[in-house]
Amino acid sequence: MKITRASDYAIRVILFLALQPGDKYFMRGELSEKCSIPDSFLGKLLQFLVKADMLYSERGKKGGFKLKKEPKDISLYDIIVSVEGDIQINECLTDNSFCSESFHCSIHNALNTIRNNMINDLKRYTVADLMNEQNHKPDISN
């Protein structure tokens, strides 16, 4: 499985919002600039994140987007699934009609174990963990 650009951008915007102090709303254009995400791409991602209940969306002059959940309550899995849908390694793992061998296939069993391990790992890492990593990056500006 490859993490797509959409997932990467979604994680980036959620992390940015989580790192901001206070209760400020950010307009889409501002998020696009601050997170280096094309504005046309960001609009759809923000819709997915609002629909997944991770972001508040407020219209108007003082509106924009801000986190709805605590960073500790948003996992990498949550973000990726909100943008990509169900995580797949092989279609036979999520579509029983795809392969007639799936119930007694050793490849299916191995890939299913790998998929489950990956899902569990993605669920284990939260935005709070990413924030902690961000705050402990060495300063290389000197």
Side-chain angles (χ1 to χ4, degrees):
M1 184 193 132
K2 179 180 177 182
I3 301 294
T4 68
R5 180 169 289 149
S7 290
D8 178 57
Y9 286 164
I11 293 166
R12 195 182 304 179
V13 76
I14 291 285
L15 179 59
F16 171 81
L17 290 169
L19 288 167
Q20 303 312 304
D23 209 22
K24 181 182 177 199
Y25 280 90
F26 289 84
M27 298 300 287
R28 187 175 92 187
E30 188 177 12
L31 289 171
S32 172
E33 182 181 317
K34 300 268 187 194
C35 298
S36 300
I37 302 170
D39 188 63
S40 57
F41 203 129
L42 183 58
K44 190 69 170 169
L45 292 179
L46 292 170
Q47 288 176 16
F48 287 136
L49 296 170
V50 167
K51 186 176 180 183
D53 237 13
M54 285 181 240
L55 296 181
Y56 285 112
S57 172
E58 188 70 36
R59 292 188 182 269
K61 194 172 186 174
K62 294 188 180 189
F65 299 89
K66 70 177 183 176
L67 280 188
K68 188 171 188 178
K69 293 182 176 180
E70 290 295 319
K72 68 179 179 56
D73 296 327
I74 304 172
S75 70
L76 289 179
Y77 175 82
D78 297 330
I79 298 169
I80 293 169
V81 168
S82 74
V83 172
E84 306 287 347
D86 196 24
I87 293 176
Q88 295 186 51
I89 292 178
N90 189 328
E91 199 166 350
C92 72
L93 298 177
T94 55
D95 181 0
N96 290 335
S97 67
F98 181 76
C99 175
S100 62
E101 302 293 318
S102 63
F103 291 109
H104 55 277
C105 172
S106 60
I107 297 167
H108 175 90
N109 292 337
L111 291 178
N112 196 45
T113 298
I114 292 166
R115 176 180 176 264
N116 288 336
N117 288 337
M118 181 172 35
I119 288 171
N120 288 333
D121 284 343
L122 289 169
K123 285 180 177 181
R124 191 177 76 225
Y125 286 98
T126 67
V127 173
D129 295 326
L130 298 177
M131 292 170 67
N132 194 31
E133 288 288 321
Q134 184 79 16
N135 291 330
H136 290 94
K137 284 173 71 174
D139 183 10
I140 57 171
S141 61
N142 294 333

